[in-house]
Amino acid sequence: LDVASAAKIYTMLTIGDGLLAQIPALIISTAAGIVVTRSAKTDENMGHEMVDQLFYNPRAVSIAGAVVILLALVPGLPSLPFLMIGLVMGMISFVMSKNEQEEEKRKIEASKKEESKGASENIESLLPIDLIELEVGYGLISVVEKNGPGDLLERIRSLRKQFALDYGIVVPSVHIRDNLQLNPNEYRFLIKGNKVAGGTLKPDHYLAMDPGNVSDKIDGIPTKEPAFGLDALWISPKQKEVAEMLGYTVVDIPTVIATHLTEVVRKHAHELLGRQEVIQLLDTFKKSHPKIVEDLIPEVLSLGVVTKVLQNLLKENVSIRDLRTILETLADEGIKTKDPELLTESVRKALSRSITAKYAGEESRLPVIMLSPNLEELLTNSLLQTESGQQLVMDPATAQKIISRIASTIEDNPHIIGQPIVLTTSSLRRHLAKLLGRFIPGVIVLAHPEISGNVEIQSVAQVEL
């Protein structure tokens, strides 16, 4: 070989030896970098992870394929291998793009279905109505907060327990929420979504009421007690002790709300008792007295009739806690009639001891207002049998005279205003109760059989036209 050929061969071998020495080093460095930068949070096999990352983006694969095809066009480089590798990478990129588009379509369709389902679920969640709600303005939020001053939530829990003992019903949970449409210090009670009561309070103040034995007046902001409409005063915390010493009854804001809630539940207890609530009461009672329930429903009476009777009792503030007496009476009388009104009167007679004990007190004396024989005869003659049962039918002028006369009689006897009781016959009781209940709030109408024999009836007045 001549010198030039030898130099050329030597140069090529030298370059080749350098490349052979660098390529393993490059591979080792690349492998070390991959191992070092690999995420430690994944449990996937490293080989699978590496393949996923290399072929994660179809655009990167397509660019690499295009570069390889360009290298096939460079003179001196082997064209066929580079061209085949470039085409294979291009096909891989095409398949990856196709799969990615299909996956994107599936995600969009799934998202639309989920949105449609979510929208449907959100709409359906708005349909139920809470039986009892308390809405407050933003100025009273601190009053109703848990563990706030007076702890209103604890008072509501005590109220529910007390109603279970006094009336035999489970008062549903009270949903409390703020309402920015209300005045800052305003609150209101809703039954089945409709307002039934409300009021305006003065935060950081106490409500002082005169029970009738106040020795001296105190300065304050005149107002009305929201539950009963009594005259009252808003006083500052500094005046509390002085007001109590003068004989005022002083209560805080949570007590005012809780007292008002008690009165609302008492007035609307019959609206809070539906078929579902009656089923729950019967299921509890059935555990200890299964035969009574099985013999009554549905053999003698339907669930709807039993529910109506219980609602009628609660409407006139008669406790339904003595379910045994109520259901046994319904089982006996249900064979004779299915009329809820007549069944209610029969149950009231069976509950005479409970009704009398509620109004007679410890002295076993019951002050009542009597109706004159002429008035009772007039009312009896006004009873008319219709398709919907017996009804009291009389001209409006006469009815208004009777209502006005009874109302004035109650006013003339202030010692019975807190518990005005009208005593009449069994046939007139329910009709007179409906007539007076609309115009004289708080009036109690009792029949003679509803009063126990051990109670002394004291006639305080007699109503005549």
Side-chain angles (χ1 to χ4, degrees):
L1 293 176
D2 55 7
V3 176
S5 298
K8 182 178 179 181
I9 293 172
Y10 177 78
T11 301
M12 291 179 62
L13 291 175
T14 303
I15 293 172
D17 181 64
L19 290 174
L20 290 175
Q22 292 298 320
I23 289 174
L26 179 62
I27 294 174
I28 292 173
S29 300
T30 303
I34 293 173
V35 171
V36 171
T37 59
R38 178 172 179 261
S39 175
K41 294 182 180 180
T42 178
D43 296 331
E44 190 177 359
N45 182 276
M46 183 173 179
H48 293 162
E49 184 180 358
M50 184 174 178
V51 171
D52 291 341
Q53 292 183 7
L54 287 175
F55 296 99
Y56 175 76
N57 192 339
R59 184 179 180 185
V61 177
S62 63
I63 292 174
V67 172
V68 172
I69 292 175
L70 289 176
L71 290 177
L73 302 178
V74 176
L77 292 180
S79 302
L80 186 60
F82 281 102
L83 189 60
M84 291 179 63
I85 294 173
L87 293 175
V88 169
M89 296 184 72
M91 292 176 63
I92 293 174
S93 174
F94 177 76
V95 173
M96 290 174 62
S97 298
K98 195 78 173 177
N99 293 338
E100 192 176 56
Q101 292 175 0
E102 293 178 358
E103 183 66 23
E104 188 68 23
K105 289 181 180 179
R106 284 195 294 268
K107 288 183 179 179
I108 293 174
E109 292 177 358
S111 177
K112 289 181 179 179
K113 290 181 180 179
E114 189 67 26
E115 289 178 359
S116 176
K117 182 180 178 182
S120 176
E121 290 177 350
N122 290 336
I123 294 175
E124 291 174 356
S125 65
L126 299 175
L127 295 179
I129 299 177
D130 293 308
L131 286 178
I132 307 180
E133 295 178 80
L134 168 60
E135 293 185 344
V136 299
Y138 66 84
L140 298 177
I141 293 178
S142 60
V143 177
V144 300
E145 284 180 344
K146 187 176 181 180
N147 298 326
D151 199 352
L152 178 62
L153 299 182
E154 183 60 34
R155 295 175 187 268
I156 293 176
R157 282 192 288 268
S158 300
L159 179 152
R160 298 180 69 205
K161 293 179 182 178
Q162 193 61 43
F163 263 88
L165 295 173
D166 293 343
Y167 288 90
I169 63 171
V170 178
V171 178
S173 300
V174 181
H175 182 198
I176 303 176
R177 64 181 181 183
D178 61 310
N179 188 344
L180 298 179
Q181 296 180 351
L182 299 178
N183 292 330
N185 299 331
E186 183 183 0
Y187 73 95
R188 64 179 185 177
F189 293 106
L190 287 79
I191 300 290
K192 298 179 181 179
N194 299 307
K195 178 184 175 181
V196 294
T200 302
L201 305 176
K202 201 169 183 60
D204 301 326
H205 282 70
Y206 287 91
L207 191 68
M209 293 171 287
D210 182 2
N213 55 353
V214 172
S215 59
D216 194 8
K217 299 295 183 182
I218 191 173
D219 294 332
I221 303 173
T223 185
K224 291 285 185 180
E225 193 276 333
F228 303 99
L230 303 175
D231 292 330
L233 296 172
W234 287 116
I235 61 174
S236 64
K238 296 179 180 179
Q239 297 173 290
K240 180 184 176 183
E241 293 184 2
V242 176
E244 291 176 340
M245 292 176 61
L246 294 176
Y248 283 92
T249 300
V250 182
V251 294
D252 56 7
I253 298 297
T255 302
V256 174
I257 298 177
T259 303
H260 201 174
L261 176 60
T262 303
E263 186 65 14
V264 168
V265 174
R266 187 186 65 79
K267 287 183 179 179
H268 301 273
H270 61 285
E271 298 183 45
L272 306 177
L273 187 74
R275 283 177 170 82
Q276 186 61 42
E277 289 75 22
V278 171
I279 289 175
Q280 294 173 358
L281 290 177
L282 294 178
D283 287 342
T284 303
F285 181 76
K286 193 175 181 180
K287 295 177 182 178
S288 56
H289 302 82
K291 191 62 178 175
I292 298 177
V293 179
E294 292 172 1
D295 289 347
L296 176 62
I297 303 174
E299 297 296 330
V300 179
L301 296 175
S302 66
L303 177 63
V305 174
V306 175
T307 302
K308 184 62 178 176
V309 171
L310 296 178
Q311 289 174 343
N312 289 341
L313 294 172
L314 290 174
K315 196 170 185 178
E316 295 193 58
N317 295 320
V318 177
S319 172
I320 62 171
R321 189 180 179 190
D322 187 4
L323 272 180
R324 178 169 182 169
T325 301
I326 294 173
L327 298 183
E328 287 183 344
T329 304
L330 291 178
D332 295 337
E333 299 296 327
I335 302 174
K336 306 173 187 177
T337 179
K338 309 296 181 184
D339 187 348
E341 302 294 335
L342 296 179
L343 290 172
T344 302
E345 296 305 307
S346 299
V347 171
R348 288 178 63 95
K349 295 175 185 177
L351 296 173
S352 60
R353 189 180 295 109
S354 300
I355 294 175
T356 304
K358 181 177 181 179
Y359 301 120
E362 297 179 357
E363 298 180 357
S364 297
R365 181 178 298 175
L366 192 65
V368 299
I369 297 174
M370 307 290 290
L371 300 182
S372 67
N374 292 336
L375 180 55
E376 285 192 344
E377 183 180 359
L378 172 63
L379 293 171
T380 302
N381 293 335
S382 300
L383 296 178
L384 182 65
Q385 190 68 33
T386 64
E387 295 181 356
S388 57
Q390 202 174 48
Q391 302 292 333
L392 181 63
V393 181
M394 61 171 51
D395 63 280
T398 304
Q400 186 60 46
K401 288 180 181 179
I402 295 173
I403 295 170
S404 300
R405 187 58 185 151
I406 293 176
S408 61
T409 303
I410 295 173
E411 293 177 359
D412 293 339
N413 296 272
H415 60 284
I416 65 167
I417 288 180
Q419 184 179 281
I421 299 176
V422 177
L423 187 63
T424 185
T425 62
S426 299
S427 59
L428 288 175
R429 197 214 68 82
R430 59 190 176 100
H431 303 291
L432 190 61
K434 289 181 181 179
L435 178 64
L436 299 180
R438 301 175 185 174
F439 305 98
I440 309 178
V443 68
I444 303 160
V445 183
L446 299 180
H448 292 281
E450 296 174 0
I451 300 177
S452 300
N454 61 340
V455 173
E456 178 187 352
I457 299 177
Q458 179 184 2
S459 178
V460 297
Q462 187 173 7
V463 180
E464 297 183 6
L465 284 181

